[in-house]
């Protein structure tokens, strides 16, 4: 789950990382109030969960509160990469001497977190990573030892940070790892971490991504979710514990297991069809979940045919069949369906579906080809 | 000969009294798996299926039974603890079926297990099946025949699809290992490829990968150096859009890495045959005889 800049920075601040004074506004009037409270130059920043907002005109420097209000008016409602800007952050503008990159993420290969720093911070960090990876220094963090002071010194020396800033840098790195660990984050990033013209370190921008699997123990953090990032259907699916991703095609897919769901999309495409969605009902799905899954798929008006591919293991085919029957009774399915049930309790599942009007398939290739023919 | 587990493997089930644990214990017993004990905290003293004693702790179960392998069905919030409990009690092989364990929990588990003799398979995996010998996990037993194809997979249900496709063409497997779809897991492709390469009964290998991470690329490198048995591979997620998580935590194309096309390219360069879809695997295996 991605957090907005203002949400990430508030969390950073709770853990002792210095951030610019500022607040978030949903209207131009609120922006004026905040800017006049801060006084002097402020930065007006679109709060939207995609990169490249600066280049899209979503970040402006205002010399006073009046200008802040008109920039806020301009930016609020703006569309950036398909997402509408609903909030702007009004931050005190600071004189910037140097821009550093500092971030923590999980390294899949090393199977532990890695903290990264670069003297070339700022908006072009991705190009830096691609073109001059040696400009980014890394230290892996042992889950039991935590981040040690020598690792911070290694980074500080590599990015040529002046010695008088090491103590501050050490404290910011430590706080960043604390908030990363405590929030079950998979990314915590300060970019840029600036050396101000007064010679202090300040986290001017922030970004966090939280582990979906850990939100259950994170209390209030789940409330920070921005539902704009999901379609209504994706949101409903998540509430039922289903994974749904909308795509552009006309063959609706309901599958158990992420790998098989991707494999089913791949085979539809291989035979010349277009999948309308990715949908994994998960392991051990109940009839209620299956029926919700069908409702969600059918909300997409572009779906011309439904392909149900279930290979039962922990999922039982009879439970899936019950859900399908229930959905047919409840919402009425008026498009053709191709159903393939194999594995745990497949006989019981097939019996339950015997009365329903649908095409059955003997193999995955057969199912895909039948669905494509029906969609044509 | 199979790898990792066989008919003599003595199995403990953690979470044996839960909905999934109970159901799959019965399925495993029906297959002939030698289940000797179960663990559910608070249910010690119960008897499952008229013969399997339930203990409150792994330690108590191990004190009274020799155990070669533990299989875990406990909910995600408690699963990392269950893995560590089994490892500390001295179980040499732990297979974790549970899906949705927080990644930070798994990093701690891995950091600890790296200092022990315990091998972990999973989490978020379907388990291990040695057809005709034993099944430990949730792979439907009747879909697979005994044979000489070693199967290793990051996916669950896609693995069943492949086993089923093999049986339909009269092919069987020596052992099928589901390594799981999470970004941080125990046993990886290379570990299993090494076991298959050394196993006399395994003549050919099927490797099922998917988008996300770079385990398939590393496996390809290992294949080119150390595996001389024929390898057939399928990579799921060729049509998945970047930036969207496809179900489980591991399957996402991000920052230009983890793409199916890169994995396929690496495996082809290593000499593996690539199937366009799972049902092409049997004929590709046949072409390598």
């Amino acid at each position: 789950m991605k957090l907005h800049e203002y949400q990430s920075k508030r969390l950073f601040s709770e853990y002792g990382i210095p951030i610019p004074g500022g607040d978030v506004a949903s209207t131009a009037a609120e922006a004026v109030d905040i800017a006049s409270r801060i006084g002097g130059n402020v930065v007006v920043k679109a709060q939207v969960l995609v990169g490249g907002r600066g280049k899209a005109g979503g970040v402006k420097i205002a010399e006073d509160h009046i200008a802040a209000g008109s920039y806020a008016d301009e930016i609020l409602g703006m569309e950036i990469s398909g997402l509408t800007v609903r909030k702007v952050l009004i931050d005190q503008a600071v004189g910037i001497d140097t821009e550093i990159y500092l971030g923590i993420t999980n390294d899949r290969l090393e199977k532990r977190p890695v903290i990264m720093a670069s003297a070339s911070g700022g908006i072009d960090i991705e190009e830096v990573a691609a073109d001059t990876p040696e400009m980014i220094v890394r230290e892996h963090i042992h889950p039991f030892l935590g981040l040690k002071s020598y690792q911070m010194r290694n980074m500080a020396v590599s990015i040529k940070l002046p010695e008088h800033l090491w103590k501050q840098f050490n404290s910011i790195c430590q706080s960043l790892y604390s908030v990363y660990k405590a929030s079950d984050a998979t990314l915590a990033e300060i970019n840029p971490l600036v050396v101000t013209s007064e010679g202090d370190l300040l986290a001017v921008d922030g970004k966090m991504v939280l582990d979906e699997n850990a939100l259950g123990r994170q209390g209030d953090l789940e409330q920070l979710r921005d539902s704009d990032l999901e379609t209504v259907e994706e949101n409903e699916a998540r509430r039922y514990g289903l994974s749904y991703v909308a795509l552009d095609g006309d063959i609706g897919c309901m599958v158990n297991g992420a790998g098989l769901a991707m494999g089913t999309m791949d085979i539809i495409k291989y035979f010349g069809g277009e999948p309308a969605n990715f949908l994994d009902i998960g392991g051990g799905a109940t009839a209620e979940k299956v029926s919700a899954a069908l409702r969600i798929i059918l909300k997409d008006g572009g779906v011309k045919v439904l392909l149900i591919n279930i290979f039962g293991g922990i999922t039982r085919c009879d439970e899936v069949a019950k859900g399908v029957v229930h959905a047919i009774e409840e919402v009425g399915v008026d498009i053709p369906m191709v159903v393939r049930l194999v594995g745990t309790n497949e006989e019981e599942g097939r019996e339950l579906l015997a009365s329903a009007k649908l095409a059955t398939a003997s193999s995955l290739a057969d199912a895909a080809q039948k669905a494509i023919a029906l969609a044509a | 000969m199979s790898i990792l587990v066989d008919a003599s493997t003595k199995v403990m089930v953690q979470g044996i009294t839960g909905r999934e644990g109970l159901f799959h214990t019965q399925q495993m017993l029906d297959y002939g798996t030698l289940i000797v004990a179960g663990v559910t905290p608070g249910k010690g003293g119960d008897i499952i299926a008229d013969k399997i004693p339930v203990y409150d702790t792994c330690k108590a179960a191990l004190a009274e039974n020799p155990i070669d392998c533990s299989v875990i069905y406990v909910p995600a919030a408690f699963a990392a603890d269950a893995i560590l409990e089994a490892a500390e009690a001295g179980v040499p092989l732990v297979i974790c079926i549970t899906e949705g364990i927080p990644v930070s929990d798994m990093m701690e588990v891995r950091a600890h297990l790296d200092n022990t003799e315990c091998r972990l398979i999973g989490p978020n995996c379907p388990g291990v099946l040695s057809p005709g010998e034993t099944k430990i996990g949730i792979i439907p037993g009747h879909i697979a025949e005994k044979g000489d194809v070693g199967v290793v997979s990051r996916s669950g249900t896609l693995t069943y699809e492949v086993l089923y496709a093999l049986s339909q063409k009269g092919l069987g497997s020596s052992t099928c290992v589901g390594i799981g779809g999470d970004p941080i897991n125990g046993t990886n492709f290379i570990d299993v490829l090494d076991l298959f390469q050394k196993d006399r009964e395994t003549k050919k290998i099927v490797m099922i990968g998917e988008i996300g991470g770079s385990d398939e690329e590393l496996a390809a490198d290992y294949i080119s150096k150390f595996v001389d048995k024929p390898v057939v591979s399928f990579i799921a997620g060729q049509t998945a859009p970047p930036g969207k998580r496809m179900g489980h935590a591991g399957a996402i194309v991000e920052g230009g890495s983890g793409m199916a096309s890169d994995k396929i390219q690496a495996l082809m360069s290593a000499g593996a045959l690539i199937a366009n879809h799972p049902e092409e695997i049997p004929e590709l295996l046949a072409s390598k005889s």
Side-chain angles (χ1 to χ4, degrees), chain A residues 124-200:
Chain A
D124 295 324
I125 189 66
E126 280 170 28
E127 281 89 87
V128 174
D131 302 338
T132 48
E134 68 281 0
M135 291 292 292
I136 298 176
V137 292
R138 294 171 172 79
E139 292 284 335
H140 285 95
I141 305 171
H142 192 286
F144 302 148
L145 295 176
L147 184 57
K148 310 308 284 184
S149 295
Y150 77 87
Q151 296 183 297
M152 258 100 59
R153 287 196 298 278
N154 283 347
M155 291 194 295
V157 169
S158 298
I159 65 170
K160 299 192 167 59
L161 192 73
E163 202 248 317
H164 69 274
L165 287 173
W166 289 5
K167 200 175 160 196
Q168 266 192 63
F169 183 68
N170 183 52
S171 149
I172 290 173
C173 288
Q174 206 60 260
S175 298
L176 191 65
Y177 182 56
S178 299
V179 65
Y180 181 84
K181 204 170 153 63
S183 326
D184 278 307
T186 56
L187 177 77
E189 190 176 81
I190 304 174
N191 185 35
L193 172 67
V194 306
V195 181
T196 63
S197 18
E198 287 78 41
D200 289 315

Side-chain angles (χ1 to χ4, degrees), chain B residues 45-73:
Chain B
D46 283 10
I47 300 288
I48 297 290
D50 298 328
K51 58 179 176 184
I52 303 165
V54 180
Y55 299 86
D56 285 319
T57 65
C58 289
K59 197 175 170 185
L62 271 283
E64 292 182 15
N65 308 275
I67 290 178
D68 303 312
C69 172
S70 181
V71 58
I72 295 178
Y73 295 96

Side-chain angles (χ1 to χ4, degrees), chain A residues 280-299:
Chain A
D280 170 14
I281 59 170
T286 57
E288 188 204 356
K289 247 170 125 169
V290 169
S291 146
L294 279 182
R295 279 202 313 272
I296 291 164
I297 297 172
L298 293 172
K299 275 190 193 161

Side-chain angles (χ1 to χ4, degrees), chain A residues 2 4 46-51 75 77-86 226-230:
Chain A
K2 288 183 185 173
H4 281 289
Q47 298 298 290
V48 63
L49 292 170
V50 286
I75 294 171
M78 185 186 259
E79 282 231 342
I80 301 179
S81 304
L83 291 172
T84 307
V85 181
R86 301 191 191 280
D226 180 346
S227 53
D228 275 6
L229 266 198
E230 304 172 311

Side-chain angles (χ1 to χ4, degrees), chain A residues 106-109 111-113 142-144 181 184 186 211-214 217 229 234 243 245 247 256-260 262-263 265-267 269-271 278 280 283-284 309 311-314 316 340 342-344 346 363-365, chain B residues 19-20 23-24 100-105 107-108 110-112 138 140 142-143 154-155 157-158 160-161 164 183-185 210-214 218 234-239 241 244-248 250-251 276-280:
Chain A
N106 291 331
D107 185 333
R108 284 173 81 140
L109 279 182
K111 304 188 186 300
R112 59 187 61 175
H142 192 286
F144 302 148
K181 204 170 153 63
D184 278 307
T186 56
D211 181 359
E212 296 278 349
N213 286 344
R217 64 186 183 197
L229 266 198
E234 283 170 359
S243 311
V245 177
L247 301 166
N256 65 322
L260 188 57
M262 286 190 282
M265 282 158 53
D266 292 347
I267 198 170
K269 198 111 172 171
Y270 176 72
F271 284 115
F278 164 94
D280 170 14
N309 185 30
F311 214 118
I314 207 156
R316 300 162 211 175
R340 177 162 174 263
V342 194
T344 310
E346 60 181 62
S363 68
L364 182 53
Chain B
R19 181 180 185 262
E20 304 305 339
F23 179 79
H24 287 284
I101 303 179
V103 65
S104 59
D105 288 6
M107 287 191 294
E108 290 191 353
R110 266 305 297 247
H112 179 66
I138 59 174
H142 70 278
I143 58 168
R154 247 173 86 185
S155 163
T157 46
L158 189 53
Y160 313 162
E161 196 72 61
Y164 186 70
I184 310 285
N185 60 6
E210 62 187 32
I211 54 164
S214 53
L218 293 174
F234 173 73
I235 304 295
Q238 298 176 42
T239 54
K244 287 281 188 181
R245 184 173 130 165
M246 292 285 137
H248 43 69
N276 289 305
H277 60 80
E279 286 160 353
E280 268 187 14

Side-chain angles (χ1 to χ4, degrees), chain B residues 215-255:
Chain B
D215 280 5
E216 290 80 2
E217 285 89 332
L218 293 174
D221 184 53
Y222 187 85
I223 290 168
S224 67
K225 289 177 182 145
F226 302 109
V227 179
D228 59 13
K229 296 180 181 178
V231 178
V232 174
S233 185
F234 173 73
I235 304 295
Q238 298 176 42
T239 54
K244 287 281 188 181
R245 184 173 130 165
M246 292 285 137
H248 43 69
I252 179 166
V253 176
E254 43 188 353

